[in-house]
Amino acid sequence: MLVEGVRGKEKSVDTGVPQGSPVSPLLSLLYTTPLYELIKEQGASASGFVDNITVYVAGEMTENSSKLSSILGSCCEWARSRSTEIDLGPKLGFIHFTKKKRKKRKKKRKIEKREKKKNDYIKKGKKKKLKPTP
């Protein structure tokens, strides 16, 4: 191997690529590019490194579940056609993120706390001016 003009030691390799080889990420990228294209064709996005891939979809939860299941099936078929497999073990998972309007609740809580403080001062007979909250 030649890196930046420096020739490394020659090693004989019977099969595969040695673990830790600097060409492993490049070869992995070349090998998995069609998988990323397959995922994109099905309306999703993907990112990953070597053997860890994350697939992203956006939309309604039921649609997302269906789409992700379909994509997973396609990925498994792609892997089988290349004499490999996708690990469907405990590391595989689906995570759904939803948008919730919590900001209004937080503002309401701040107002409630401020009112409580104000009422506590009035009950104790103190007339202290409270600082406005930002």
Side-chain angles (χ1 to χ4, degrees):
M1 177 177 292
L2 187 66
V3 178
E4 295 182 4
V6 178
R7 182 179 292 270
K9 286 184 181 178
E10 288 187 23
K11 293 182 181 180
S12 91
V13 178
D14 296 328
T15 60
V17 178
Q19 187 170 350
S21 169
V23 297
S24 293
L26 177 61
L27 293 175
S28 177
L29 180 63
L30 293 171
Y31 184 78
T32 58
T33 295
L35 178 61
Y36 284 92
E37 290 170 353
L38 175 71
I39 291 167
K40 189 176 178 180
E41 287 169 6
Q42 295 185 51
S45 300
S47 64
F49 182 73
V50 186
D51 64 343
N52 293 307
I53 296 176
T54 302
V55 179
Y56 305 90
V57 294
E60 295 298 319
M61 191 178 295
T62 53
E63 291 173 16
N64 289 349
S65 295
S66 177
K67 189 182 280 189
L68 287 169
S69 293
S70 175
I71 291 168
L72 178 60
S74 298
C75 291
C76 287
E77 181 56 40
W78 177 89
R80 273 191 293 279
S81 73
R82 284 154 179 82
S83 301
T84 188
E85 62 183 34
I86 303 233
D87 183 2
L88 302 176
K91 286 186 172 182
L92 175 72
F94 291 93
I95 301 173
H96 293 277
F97 296 97
T98 60
K99 292 182 181 178
K100 290 188 178 181
K101 296 181 180 179
R102 294 183 183 240
K103 288 184 179 179
K104 288 182 182 178
R105 292 174 66 193
K106 285 182 182 178
K107 286 181 181 177
K108 186 177 179 183
R109 285 184 190 147
K110 281 184 180 179
I111 291 170
E112 288 171 358
K113 283 182 182 178
R114 182 165 170 74
E115 288 300 316
K116 185 179 183 303
K117 280 184 183 178
K118 185 178 178 182
N119 291 337
D120 286 347
Y121 282 116
I122 292 170
K123 286 179 190 174
K124 292 179 182 176
K126 295 178 182 177
K127 291 186 177 181
K128 186 177 179 182
K129 190 172 183 179
L130 297 176
K131 294 179 183 176
T133 55

